[in-house]
Amino acid sequence: MTQVSEAPARKRAQIKERTLRTDPWWNRGRVVATLLTIWVLYATVRVFTGHWYFVPQYHYLTPFYSPCVSGECVPGSAAIGTWIPAIPPIIPYAFVSLPFVLGFRLSCYYYRGAYYRAFWRSPAACAVREPHASYSGETKVPLIIQNVHRYFFYAAFVIAAILTYDVAQAFRGPDGNFGIGLGSIIMLINVVAVWGYSFSCHSCRHITGGRLKHFSKHPVRYWIWTQISKLNKHHMAFAWISLATLMLTDFYIMLVASGAFSDPRLFN
Ligand code: FES
């Protein structure tokens, strides 16, 4: 009888050099770290500013303050009512949604790979030895908690629906009837990007077509799964585009709300 030899223990390649790559592999990590840091600093400042988040005349509410549920929310901005008394923005006005938005992005499969590489250099890039002595992946606390991503997806779905409501409001002019301004269009582009990011999520793909043994017995789910799979291929692009549009939308509303810029109106 032939003896089956044991598989060799998995070891890292024993080479002296950190990597044999000659291309500028470090660039990607630096760019990602810089962009994410800028975004997080900007969002943190804005979320705690407590000003210039709503344009009452055109019903523009920045996504960073949606839904606005603090007693401090200016009249017209609290679509689902105020949940806490008026206290300064030591508690963000959208405290009900921000933890879920943050959790959804932080536990996203794409962002995980991006910030593990950019900030922890674990690994720094393909075929580059990482500086850490050991590697346990996401098998231990705290990283094992990243598995809750699928639950954040459900919450993010509700939040995207609320942002959609905000966009519908942004298509009302000063007299309450239909109206379009540059802000309405920017908000619309943002919500499309946010939906694109949400629908292209790996968890969404699994929810629609995962755990099925026979696609032929579930034609509707199979069709949805094929459409989500098409979006899923572009998840990284949606991740960055939606991050950019969120920031742009907030920045634009801040300019209009503060009086620094007048919203050009196309209609009403
Ligand atoms: Fe990125 Fe779900 S995998 S949002």
Side-chain angles (χ1 to χ4, degrees), residues 181-256:
L182 180 57
S184 330
I185 295 169
I186 291 176
M187 288 178 72
L188 179 64
I189 292 171
N190 175 57
V191 87
V192 169
V194 167
W195 276 117
Y197 174 65
S198 306
F199 278 127
S200 64
C201 167
H202 295 265
S203 292
C204 178
R205 185 167 177 261
H206 180 72
I207 289 163
T208 54
R211 293 171 162 268
L212 290 183
K213 288 206 172 111
H214 307 286
F215 276 139
S216 57
K217 291 188 181 160
H218 304 272
V220 176
R221 284 186 66 184
Y222 175 63
W223 182 85
I224 296 172
W225 179 81
T226 54
Q227 305 311 309
I228 297 290
S229 298
K230 286 177 195 165
L231 287 177
N232 181 255
K233 281 194 286 189
H234 306 288
H235 190 55
M236 180 179 82
F238 279 121
W240 285 107
I241 291 169
S242 58
L243 218 52
T245 58
L246 280 166
M247 194 166 162
L248 171 72
T249 307
D250 177 80
F251 187 68
Y252 183 83
I253 291 174
M254 179 178 72
L255 288 181
V256 177

Side-chain angles (χ1 to χ4, degrees), residues 104-105 107-112 149-150 153 197-198 200-204 232 235 239:
F104 186 48
R105 296 260 169 181
S107 62
C108 162
Y109 292 21
Y110 165 68
Y111 284 123
R112 270 146 72 177
H149 181 66
R150 71 201 71 171
F153 168 78
Y197 174 65
S198 306
S200 64
C201 167
H202 295 265
S203 292
C204 178
N232 181 255
H235 190 55

